[in-house]
Amino acid sequence: MADEVKITNEKSVKNSNNSHLSKKDINRAWFRWWLLAETSNNFERMQGVSWAAAIGPTLKKLYKDPDELKDALKRNTVFFNTEGIWGGLIMGSTIALEEQKSKNPEMDGELITSYKTGLMGPVAGLGDTIDWSTFYTLVLAGASAVAATGSWLAALIVAAAGIAMYFEGLFFTRIGYSQGRKSILSILRSGRIGQALEWANILALMMIGSMTATLVTFNLTIKTKTVDVQKILNNAFTGILVLIIFFSVYWAMKKKKISAPVMIVVIIGFCILASALGIA
């Protein structure tokens, strides 16, 4: 009888430690992180409080013991700062680690803290480079070109990009949870990131070229009764002046390290002078 009770108690403890996290729990953690990621930024903890608020309901489901829950919340409010969308990878894999710890109390909680701290920099580098410096910049450039034509579709393009990035982060969170720590390491070690950046750079160059050709105009007004300089240039090389101006600005900013605000003032001054002299 005593053995029977002992076996029953052991089963009860085992069942209480099994969290049975559902897809809904993972989705909710991501949704809360997406909403809160940048709301608690401060010099002491940066996104730490937002992180704890996002993962809090999941921790509450994992840890039934109040002291264990308190410890889990404490280690998830420490200093943390990364890019929000790609941070879903850390969110998902951290949940997987916390789930592991809830089933194995002897597991050191500092492992989870060290894991988060070690990955927040590399993941932020990926997210900032791929999403914000490349993808979103291209989207805004394309939307700006559409807006310049007076079309309301520009707003829809930006909104669609935001929705796409939300589901991108949700995908990362699910991958992070399903594969645990291996998910981020495999991404960092694979050559796919380099390929993605190379494709993004090619697309960016194409976008810059098409936008320069369609949005930048510069026409010379120098002509006589028999000679039209602009018409001659168009027949010889359409858009040659725009191309020269573009690469001149690129050279000045790249080689001479002239900042964008100063370059804008220089361009405005050049346009005013050319107009005043009657040559453009």
Side-chain angles (χ1 to χ4, degrees), residues 7-41:
I7 292 171
T8 304
N9 288 338
E10 285 177 355
K11 286 183 178 178
S12 299
V13 171
K14 187 177 179 182
N15 289 337
S16 67
N17 286 335
N18 286 334
S19 59
H20 301 298
L21 289 179
S22 64
K23 185 182 287 188
K24 184 178 179 181
D25 295 318
I26 308 305
N27 293 351
R28 179 169 63 168
W30 159 249
F31 179 70
R32 290 169 67 92
W33 171 242
W34 180 70
L35 286 178
L36 302 171
E38 303 296 338
T39 59
S40 71
N41 281 357

Side-chain angles (χ1 to χ4, degrees), residues 152-173:
W152 54 270
L153 289 174
L156 288 184
I157 292 172
V158 176
I163 294 171
M165 292 172 80
Y166 171 83
F167 284 102
E168 177 191 10
L170 178 60
F171 170 76
F172 285 149
T173 305

Side-chain angles (χ1 to χ4, degrees), residues 28-280:
R28 179 169 63 168
W30 159 249
F31 179 70
R32 290 169 67 92
W33 171 242
W34 180 70
L35 286 178
L36 302 171
E38 303 296 338
T39 59
S40 71
N41 281 357
N42 60 81
F43 290 112
E44 182 184 2
R45 297 176 187 268
M46 290 304 287
Q47 299 171 326
V49 177
S50 293
W51 179 271
I55 203 173
T58 308
L59 295 177
K60 193 173 181 180
K61 187 171 183 179
L62 289 173
Y63 298 102
K64 302 303 180 184
D65 182 88
D67 291 330
E68 291 182 353
L69 177 59
K70 189 185 298 183
D71 290 339
L73 286 170
K74 280 183 179 179
R75 66 174 164 267
N76 281 284
T77 53
V78 298
F79 182 94
F80 184 78
N81 189 38
T82 194
E83 193 276 319
I85 306 297
W86 282 70
L89 283 168
I90 305 179
M91 172 65 72
S93 49
T94 298
I95 291 173
L97 286 173
E98 290 288 359
E99 186 176 24
Q100 241 182 318
K101 178 164 175 55
S102 70
K103 297 174 181 178
N104 304 284
E106 66 277 3
M107 178 179 166
D108 189 2
E110 287 300 316
L111 170 67
I112 300 174
T113 303
S114 300
Y115 170 76
K116 284 170 48 191
T117 304
L119 284 175
M120 64 183 187
V123 170
L126 289 174
D128 289 339
T129 302
I130 295 175
D131 277 18
W132 298 106
S133 297
T134 305
F135 171 72
Y136 203 64
T137 301
L138 291 174
V139 169
L140 291 181
S144 299
V146 174
T149 66
S151 174
W152 54 270
L153 289 174
L156 288 184
I157 292 172
V158 176
I163 294 171
M165 292 172 80
Y166 171 83
F167 284 102
E168 177 191 10
L170 178 60
F171 170 76
F172 285 149
T173 305
R174 290 177 178 175
I175 288 293
Y177 175 70
S178 63
Q179 297 190 18
R181 288 180 293 172
K182 294 180 181 178
S183 60
I184 301 181
L185 294 177
S186 63
I187 289 174
L188 292 175
R189 290 171 181 169
S190 70
R192 293 177 182 176
I193 295 299
Q195 291 176 356
L197 288 174
E198 187 177 352
W199 295 338
N201 287 332
I202 293 172
L203 179 60
L205 290 173
M206 290 174 61
M207 287 285 293
I208 290 171
S210 61
M211 288 182 64
T212 301
T214 55
L215 298 180
V216 180
T217 56
F218 187 81
N219 296 315
L220 293 176
T221 56
I222 303 172
K223 56 183 173 181
T224 63
K225 292 182 179 180
T226 57
V227 178
D228 187 333
V229 177
Q230 184 62 52
K231 189 173 181 180
I232 293 173
L233 289 175
N234 287 341
N235 291 332
F237 195 140
T238 304
I240 182 64
L241 291 178
V242 172
L243 195 64
I244 292 172
I245 292 171
F246 173 80
F247 279 108
S248 297
V249 172
Y250 176 81
W251 174 82
M253 295 181 70
K254 184 73 174 180
K255 301 296 183 181
K256 297 300 181 180
K257 306 299 181 184
I258 298 177
S259 64
V262 173
M263 203 68 241
I264 290 172
V265 173
V266 171
I267 292 172
I268 293 173
F270 172 74
C271 292
I272 292 173
L273 180 62
S275 179
L277 294 175
I279 62 175

